[in-house]
Amino acid sequence: RNRLCSQTLQLQRSLRNGYHLRSVSTTKLFLDGKFVESKTDEWIDLHNPATNEVITRVPVSTRAEMQAAVDSSAEAFKSWSQTTVLTRQQIMFRFADLVRKNLKDIAANITLEQGKTLVDAEGDISLVDKSAGTVRSIDQKEVCEHACSITSLCLGETLPNVAKDMDIHSYREPLGVTAGITPFNFPAMIPLWMFPLATVCGNTMVIKPSERDPGATMMLCELANEAGFPAGVVNVFHGATDAVNFVCDDPTIKAISFVGSDTAGQHIYERGAMAGKRVQSNMGAKNHGVIMPDANKEATLNSLVGAAFGAAGQRCMALSTVVFVGESKKWIPEIIERAQKLTVTAGHEPGADIGPLISPQAKQRVLDLVESGVKQGADLLLDGRDIVVPGYEKGNFVGPTLLSNVKPNMDCYTEEIFGPVLVAMEVDTLDEAIQLINNNRYGNGTAIFTTNGATARKFTQQIHVGQVGVNVPIPVPLPMFSFTGSRGSFRGDLNFYGKAGVQFYTQLKTVTQLWREEDTSSTKATVAMPV
Ligand code: NAD
């Protein structure tokens, strides 16, 4: 295999061996089941975040190419929506199997384009470290496997004899052409939240992956071909804001799944809704970890450090704010000790714990927010800003950083930092911790660490955050549930994956039918509302 991907793998090997690239490849479009070169004259250079070397050029798709993708998906919908649900299920079984078999290749591409460590990149696709509890990552392949349950998930309802000889039944129908717009930080996970479930429901999908790391999406498309997805069921074009606006405005596209930043998410939610589309929009976050003094210290500190600094803090569920309740603040030095043991280097290097940030701009933004914290009175107890990684001096690295004594009005608290920076706050009581979190605009995730069941229960009951962990730092729900970020972290009505995901990608149709053996009607029509 690896017809398309051999290019990426050779690239990976060359970079690992320190060779310089003689020529830079281009990322293709995926149109009507084929990988094709864009005819655009506008390209986005994609850099390896560990070296800032250009590794591929991503096309800004022309309007004609985007239209071709939508037309292909619209044409494919005619027959795909009529395939039996068992056919779609069988294709999905094969696809899930292929994703599992190709996990390492996809992970290598993610490390190359996105920068995260190879272990973490595998977690982008499949579950990592289930037992240790330090990092809880959803098994994305399981979203495909969950999609294989479509025969149960898509069942309708029936109620016979609602009136004499009259029955009602409802069923779920696909919407038509749907669209997925994805962020850079989980280049496999987020597309896998979207197109398996959309397509197994009978829809087709056009995907606009992040222009910063579209390689994993392209590899997944190659596997979709191999699994037997008919041409046009999935199409991919590339670009940035213009491509997104095209998706929002195009009248053929019926629904948009978006994951990314607040600015883009709110814009897409509003512009898509204005065009009459269904939109689900997962956005930014500021996740708090509450440490009670009675917490199991070693396990809690390991969890916290892993969840704050893992993936260089570029996870929407990163535990980026720690709230010490009472005496637990005494553990700060031990958090620093653990953070200092983490190895910061290129993601493919053995033993790497923290890779680079996605771009020099992202790095600068993190540095600026740390600096603003210092200026606004926070204590910089661990400073990873000046880190130099031998062999990767040009990479976008920031080492683990800890700001303590942070107050709610500081920029480092009000903004999502999206870097390996832990912001520490102190309160006296659990009530104060709950109030602090409920006053924050985001509602993606939170966690409490305690050995007291009543404390945990009070927290889970009173907290206004959609995903809550009790001694679980990154409480991302498994795919039989849904990803239920709330408040400022989500716009829409139906969440990603799980039952809500199926509801998002389908329209309920309800049929009321009357079948009577003998016509007993009189010759006069009744005009009153039937009762
Ligand atoms: P981003 O918003 O910059 O990019 C996401 C997508 O939107 C990309 O495809 C991009 O091309 C497009 N886009 C970017 N700016 C746009 C604009 N102004 N108008 C229209 N489209 C635009 O996000 P990112 O930096 O790639 O990802 C990081 C963000 O995503 C963080 O805020 C993170 O919290 C969030 N995120 C949220 C979740 C979640 O489930 N809540 C999951 C992952 C990431």
Side-chain angles (χ1 to χ4, degrees), residues 181-186 189-190 193 208-212 239-241 244-245 258-265 267-268 282-285 315-316 416 418 444 483 489:
I181 302 170
T182 64
F184 82 85
N185 66 329
F186 283 103
M189 179 178 103
I190 309 282
W193 281 4
K208 205 300 286 173
S210 171
E211 66 278 20
R212 297 191 267 182
T241 311
V244 166
N245 287 339
F258 168 81
V259 179
S261 65
D262 293 357
T263 314
H267 169 74
I268 291 165
N282 266 13
M283 300 178 292
R315 290 186 186 129
C316 66
E416 180 183 33
F418 228 52
N444 214 35
F483 191 99
S489 299

Side-chain angles (χ1 to χ4, degrees), residues 155-162 166-173 508-515:
L155 287 175
E157 294 174 331
T158 65
L159 189 61
N161 291 324
V162 289
M166 188 180 282
D167 313 315
I168 301 187
H169 67 267
S170 68
Y171 48 92
R172 296 200 162 271
E173 293 189 326
L508 262 182
K509 181 180 275 181
T510 312
V511 178
T512 305
Q513 54 186 3
L514 175 71
W515 289 108

Side-chain angles (χ1 to χ4, degrees), residues 21-330:
L21 300 169
R22 263 182 246 122
S23 63
V24 173
S25 66
T26 53
T27 296
K28 308 291 181 269
L29 308 169
F30 184 59
L31 294 183
D32 218 29
K34 295 185 196 69
F35 294 94
V36 295
E37 186 80 27
S38 172
K39 295 194 167 53
T40 186
D41 51 13
E42 217 185 313
W43 296 82
I44 300 164
D45 284 348
L46 192 155
H47 300 84
N48 176 348
T51 59
N52 271 309
E53 194 167 5
V54 177
I55 48 177
T56 181
R57 297 166 76 221
V58 181
V60 175
S61 299
T62 64
R63 207 178 163 81
E65 288 164 349
M66 295 191 282
Q67 193 57 57
V70 173
D71 291 348
S72 159
S73 281
E75 188 57 32
F77 179 72
K78 291 179 193 162
S79 48
W80 179 245
S81 57
Q82 298 306 312
T83 53
T84 70
V85 66
L86 295 178
T87 302
R88 299 198 298 270
Q89 185 192 38
Q90 288 305 317
I91 292 174
M92 206 53 67
F93 274 127
R94 283 199 292 276
F95 179 65
D97 187 44
L98 283 166
V99 172
R100 184 172 48 81
K101 286 183 177 142
N102 289 274
L103 184 139
K104 290 215 179 285
D105 289 357
I106 303 172
N109 176 279
I110 292 173
T111 298
L112 182 66
E113 291 192 0
Q114 200 271 359
K116 65 176 72 173
T117 66
L118 276 172
V119 179
D120 208 33
E122 287 182 21
D124 209 301
I125 311 150
S126 197
L127 189 70
V128 283
D129 210 356
K130 231 177 204 168
S131 54
T134 48
V135 174
R136 269 276 292 105
S137 164
I138 185 173
D139 189 337
Q140 296 318 315
K141 179 177 60 60
E142 272 179 20
V143 176
C144 310
E145 285 163 2
H146 180 64
C148 296
S149 323
I150 192 64
T151 42
S152 312
L153 288 170
C154 231
L155 287 175
E157 294 174 331
T158 65
L159 189 61
N161 291 324
V162 289
K164 184 162 169 19
D165 300 324
M166 188 180 282
D167 313 315
I168 301 187
H169 67 267
S170 68
Y171 48 92
R172 296 200 162 271
E173 293 189 326
L175 305 174
V177 181
T178 61
I181 302 170
T182 64
F184 82 85
N185 66 329
F186 283 103
M189 179 178 103
I190 309 282
L192 287 174
W193 281 4
M194 298 176 181
F195 77 85
L197 214 47
T199 56
V200 84
C201 289
N203 301 288
T204 54
M205 184 171 251
V206 291
I207 305 176
K208 205 300 286 173
S210 171
E211 66 278 20
R212 297 191 267 182
D213 50 15
T217 296
M218 304 315 288
M219 293 173 94
L220 291 171
C221 288
E222 191 188 9
L223 300 180
N225 262 355
E226 208 169 321
F229 277 67
V233 170
V234 177
N235 283 285
V236 180
F237 58 77
H238 304 285
T241 311
D242 287 349
V244 166
N245 287 339
F246 172 87
V247 168
C248 293
D249 299 343
D250 181 273
T252 308
I253 296 171
K254 301 294 177 226
I256 305 173
S257 297
F258 168 81
V259 179
S261 65
D262 293 357
T263 314
Q266 283 164 17
H267 169 74
I268 291 165
Y269 184 81
E270 283 158 22
R271 191 156 171 162
M274 284 287 281
K277 298 181 206 300
R278 208 176 261 206
V279 187
Q280 53 179 186
S281 188
N282 266 13
M283 300 178 292
K286 196 82 180 175
N287 309 307
H288 301 69
V290 175
I291 316 278
M292 299 303 292
D294 64 15
N296 177 334
K297 184 170 147 194
E298 302 306 327
T300 299
L301 298 189
N302 285 338
S303 292
L304 177 66
V305 169
F309 302 118
Q314 296 179 120
R315 290 186 186 129
C316 66
M317 288 291 278
L319 217 47
S320 54
T321 304
V322 55
V323 184
F324 294 106
V325 178
E327 292 301 293
S328 65
K329 60 177 173 270
K330 288 187 183 152

